[in-house]
Amino acid sequence: MVEVDPAEYKLEFFREMGFVRKEGTRCREAFWTLNPEFSEPQDTPCVEYWFDKVKSVSGMSVGEAREAFLSFFEKHGHTRVPPRPVVARWREDLYLTIASIVVFQPHVTSGLVPPPANPLVISQPSIRLEDIDNVGITIGRHLTSFEMAAHHAFNYPDRQVYWKEETVRLAFEFFTQVLGIPPELIVFKESWWEGGGNAGPSFEVAVGGLELATLVFMKYRVVDGRYEEIPLKIVDTGYGVERLAWFTQKTPTAFHAIYGSLVDDFRRMLGVERPDENVMRAAFRVAGFLDPEDPESLRNYYQTVASLAGGDVETVRSILTREARLYSILDHTKTIALMLGDGIVPSNSGEGYLARLVMRRALRQMSLLNAEVPLADLVERQARFWMRDFPQLKENLDYILDAVSLEEERFRDVLRKARSIVERELKRKKRLGVDDLIRLYDSMGVPPEIAAEIATSRGAPVVVPHNFYSLVAARHRGPEKIRGYGFDETGLPRDVEEWARRFGETRRVFHEDPYAKAWKARVLGVKGRYLVADSTIFYPTGGGQIHDTGVIRVNNQQYRIIDVQKVGDAIVHVAEREIAAEPGDEVWMEIDWERRYSIMRHHTVTHVLIAAARRVLGRHAWQAGAEKTEEKGRLDITHHRPLTRDDIEKLENVVNQVIRERRRVWEDMVDKNVAEEKYGFTIYQGGVPMEKKLRLVFVEDWDVEACFGTHVRNTGEIGGFKIISYSRIQDGVVRLEYVAGDRVAIYARELEERLARIGDAVKAPRGQEEARVKGLIASLEQAREDLKRYRDYWVKTIEEAYISRARRVNGVKVLAVESLEKDRRTVQEMLRKLTSRHEDLIAALVVENEGNTQVEIAAGPKAAEKVDLGALVKIVMKKVGGRGGGRGSYASLRVEGRLSADKVEELLADALENVL
């Protein structure tokens, strides 16, 4: 812990109320208390859980605890702010909402944007996966999904709201007045908090062994390990809503308090018998001492519970392990419902990867309980249980259940392939380490326990870390960098970027009038072939839209502009050659208008398309990438299933309907808080700009997005829309490519020309191409059947005519035959059939090709046990030269000139004499 000046924690409130500062005799942590009998801060692992004996209000559900908290702080001058999704759409450096402060990072906490209210109160559903392996084991201390109730105050240099004194006083009043906790049982433990590049002193509030809240006073930024005081000082609190419910219900575990009747429902569906109550009471008492990361602590935990409950250790271990699996499935299924309800699509990357990780861990826990219930049935129970609290679960229930069912199918498929995957890995590496287990899980989805079982059965034992899934989750916490409007990598030389940043903001005429074709400006600076002017009509690459091209004229010289980039607020024009100009010179600009107009059409129709996708495919459809060029548009969207032709037809119909309706398109600058409150987070389809005001693009009654690009003024100008290709580019992401405007006619013309070429190739009259191709396909299928019969007959002929005369060398038959087939795959298939029927045979098929000889060689199982064909081919090559290689039961050889089958057979037999 960082050494902090004790004065940071010395409050007038403590003096006024008679609190005394103490230091724990065992835990050695400082705390403030009214109780002269407390020698330890009342928090784990310093003391056991004893909050079941603490007087308080009785039996608050999660919903009641949430409302009690929000109402209390509303009465004390805080504005209630609605929660955000559990997927952090407003962040580009984080996938999941892990705390209430994440809602206000980085825009508010950096001082760029004011908070939506000040002070405010919120109850934010959050997901943290770093401790996923501990869920259930600690009976409720660890959860993957939880609500962080919080009150925040943002103190600016010119406006102080409140700081430590008021924060601690409010916490004390909430716990004593609302929860009815005796004042002398509340402890404020001194602590230090760091996260997200910020830090500050904090108090952890604990009662009866259970931490109920953390009060953070964010006053520093962390730079290279140093603490720099920041002007904006933030009260960042966190109250565990589920812990408040547990505290007031005093149930054996937090899961009973959170899920109520669902505990018994899941117990019945999963086939988990009810545990011994004495064991659960004993587990409650000592669970606070448990450190699940320490195997020794876990062993002591089971032994202590067994001693208190009067049972044997193995029985207790079995009961608590089974209960932990039940509780983890309860927790994980709620997390899955929340993740998918907020639009996450399971995949092998991004937030989709984390959703898949939770699902597969839940499935693994179910398999360890030998449960046969579909995961979707459990998730549906959760969704229906929490619908009143989280309406998105009801709105998106069909998608949630479909996505879960599909993921379970995929997981079963992985399990079927697991053995061959792991065995192939063991051939490459003799032993598997933790990194190998993570890679097998990351890339192939093989659960670590399954990989370990298979490896152990092959004599290569491997130990699975107890925190395996936590390690994986930590590697996938968020993207590596923040983008923001897509202006990151300009491709300009570093010295040019540094030079360009010296200039102020370039006036963006392309925004003021996207239809402007020419413009007159003043040069601000020139560096070789790079020019910055005071204004420009040239659009820079960014936001998925490619830059403009055109010409500029200055000092009676014309220069072709081939690239345009945004550096800070300046826009840099890149010419084909060095520009002869000085600051103050007048510059005439002219863009390639037809190119720009085509790009505008493709960009505007992209907005129409993503909104159509959300209507046709579901609200989970989210932009995962986009590009708009003169020739076409490309949109990558999140979707859990491959698109069908019916999906494509629906999308085309909807988009073209919007085009025919000639809806108005316009832009407006809107305060970030207002934009988010009014239009939601779908405005960030194309990225999250770090701006106080957002440039929003509106398609009338259809779509609103933050966007830097150029657009037509009416959807009718798009002209028309056609999807020209669609494909699944990765798990959970499908790609659409499309054309708009006159590009639709160009595409149709290209299709006509292609059809004509096909007609000419198959000698079909115009209009009869399809019938002619169908006839050819039928003929081809018949020819394939005939060819298959011929090949089977040939293999049978070889067996009848040649096998009996094969040479025998030390118990192995050797046979070489001239092959009429030249296709290598066909030859390999024939060899496979021969050697599978004759296990002691080494067979070679000799193919003459353009004066050279290709030899394909295979060995039956018994012959392969005696000789490695790779070694055999090396011996042959020493005599005849050529190139070749192989190993085990297959090899090949290629030599220049003619080599007869008899000669090949002789060479192989001689080589065998040397080997066997």
Side-chain angles (χ1 to χ4, degrees), residues 16-78:
E16 174 190 316
M17 296 297 296
F19 275 81
V20 177
R21 185 179 190 268
K22 293 186 176 183
E23 186 173 296
T25 55
R26 187 164 60 87
C27 287
R28 313 306 300 173
E29 294 180 297
F31 62 98
W32 294 82
T33 179
L34 294 170
N35 197 320
E37 296 181 6
F38 285 166
S39 60
E40 299 289 345
Q42 297 300 295
D43 189 12
T44 59
C46 302
V47 298
E48 66 181 21
Y49 286 151
W50 60 277
F51 63 86
D52 57 325
K53 297 183 174 65
V54 174
K55 177 186 173 184
S56 70
V57 297
S58 178
M60 281 185 171
S61 67
V62 169
E64 289 167 342
R66 178 198 309 123
E67 184 55 36
F69 179 87
L70 295 171
S71 297
F72 172 82
F73 281 93
E74 271 189 315
K75 291 174 184 175
H76 286 78
H78 294 68

Side-chain angles (χ1 to χ4, degrees), residues 359-425:
M359 281 193 242
R360 292 193 170 176
R361 189 175 192 278
L363 287 164
R364 181 59 181 158
Q365 295 297 303
M366 290 167 63
S367 71
L368 291 170
L369 291 173
N370 296 314
E372 296 182 358
V373 60
L375 179 61
D377 288 0
L378 300 175
V379 174
E380 182 175 10
R381 288 292 182 104
Q382 286 284 4
R384 295 191 183 281
F385 187 83
W386 295 103
M387 276 180 182
R388 185 175 298 177
D389 298 82
F390 309 110
Q392 67 270 31
L393 299 183
K394 182 177 182 179
E395 295 165 1
N396 299 316
L397 184 60
D398 288 344
Y399 159 67
I400 293 170
L401 300 183
D402 187 40
V404 172
S405 296
L406 181 60
E407 278 300 302
E408 185 162 9
E409 287 175 25
R410 289 173 173 166
F411 182 67
R412 303 296 177 207
D413 187 51
V414 167
L415 294 183
R416 284 191 289 273
K417 298 175 181 176
R419 179 164 293 277
S420 61
I421 291 170
V422 176
E423 288 179 345
R424 187 166 61 246
E425 186 72 9

Side-chain angles (χ1 to χ4, degrees), residues 279-325:
V279 170
M280 297 312 297
R281 277 197 297 269
F284 169 85
R285 190 66 59 210
V286 298
F289 293 129
L290 170 61
D291 178 3
E293 303 291 328
D294 180 3
E296 183 64 28
S297 176
L298 200 56
R299 282 193 292 272
N300 291 338
Y301 171 61
Y302 293 134
Q303 289 170 356
T304 305
V305 172
S307 175
L308 291 173
D312 67 274
V313 173
E314 286 310 311
T315 300
V316 165
R317 185 195 306 274
S318 176
I319 291 172
L320 293 179
T321 299
R322 192 168 59 244
E323 286 294 293
R325 287 177 180 145

Side-chain angles (χ1 to χ4, degrees), residues 132-179:
I132 189 171
D133 296 283
N134 299 331
V135 173
I137 297 173
T138 56
I139 72 170
R141 186 159 26 115
H142 295 94
L143 304 170
T144 61
S145 57
F146 57 94
E147 284 187 64
M148 182 177 285
H151 59 99
H152 295 283
F154 301 87
N155 296 284
Y156 296 87
D158 59 347
R159 190 202 168 188
Q160 295 294 304
V161 181
Y162 64 77
W163 193 230
K164 297 176 190 174
E165 294 286 351
E166 297 87 340
T167 301
V168 173
R169 186 182 298 273
L170 286 167
F172 184 79
E173 290 180 4
F174 172 73
F175 288 126
T176 56
Q177 296 175 13
V178 178
L179 294 195

